[in-house]
Amino acid sequence: MINIADLIIDTDEKKLTTSEYQKIANNAAAGIDYVLCGMKSIGSLMFWAAGNSDYDGQMVKVDMQNLGMLIEANAKFLERMLEVESSALYNLKEGNKDDNEQ
């Protein structure tokens, strides 16, 4: 499991090693994948919960509000992960790395 704190970093204006940039890009891509897999699972659970007769309208309303907040937060998270991944890959391509790297 990746550490979320490792994902939310700004690589602009920093000189990192090639392996550090690659790690950042890989972690960002993994973070995106984790969120997408979780959202797919939520969709599956929602589908099956809809067939349960004990699942009343008020429960649905509360769950939908919570899912709306989750999806909004995940969208912001994914946008940031795409920025982190793009920045790290750009810096790798441009050779913006630590001059002291061996």
Side-chain angles (χ1 to χ4, degrees):
M1 178 69 72
I2 58 174
N3 181 351
I4 298 301
D6 290 341
L7 297 176
I8 313 296
I9 67 168
D10 186 0
T11 59
D12 292 338
E13 305 299 322
K14 291 184 181 176
K15 298 285 187 182
L16 303 176
T17 64
T18 299
S19 62
E20 288 171 323
Y21 280 126
Q22 192 62 58
K23 180 181 176 186
I24 290 166
N26 291 345
N27 284 345
I32 292 166
D33 187 52
Y34 293 168
V35 171
L36 290 174
C37 287
M39 291 175 72
K40 288 177 185 178
S41 293
I42 290 168
S44 177
L45 289 170
M46 288 176 65
F47 174 83
W48 292 109
N52 185 338
S53 61
D54 294 330
Y55 194 60
D56 69 20
Q58 185 57 34
M59 293 169 68
V60 171
K61 182 178 179 180
V62 169
D63 284 344
M64 295 302 279
Q65 288 171 335
N66 289 338
L67 288 170
M69 289 186 292
L70 171 69
I71 291 168
E72 183 178 349
N74 279 336
K76 291 176 183 177
F77 171 77
L78 289 170
E79 286 173 345
R80 181 61 182 137
M81 290 306 89
L82 288 168
E83 290 171 3
V84 168
E85 180 186 28
S86 177
S87 177
L89 292 173
Y90 173 81
N91 283 308
L92 276 172
K93 179 182 173 187
E94 294 298 313
N96 296 337
K97 61 183 181 179
D98 186 351
D99 292 331
N100 297 319
E101 181 178 7
Q102 300 294 327

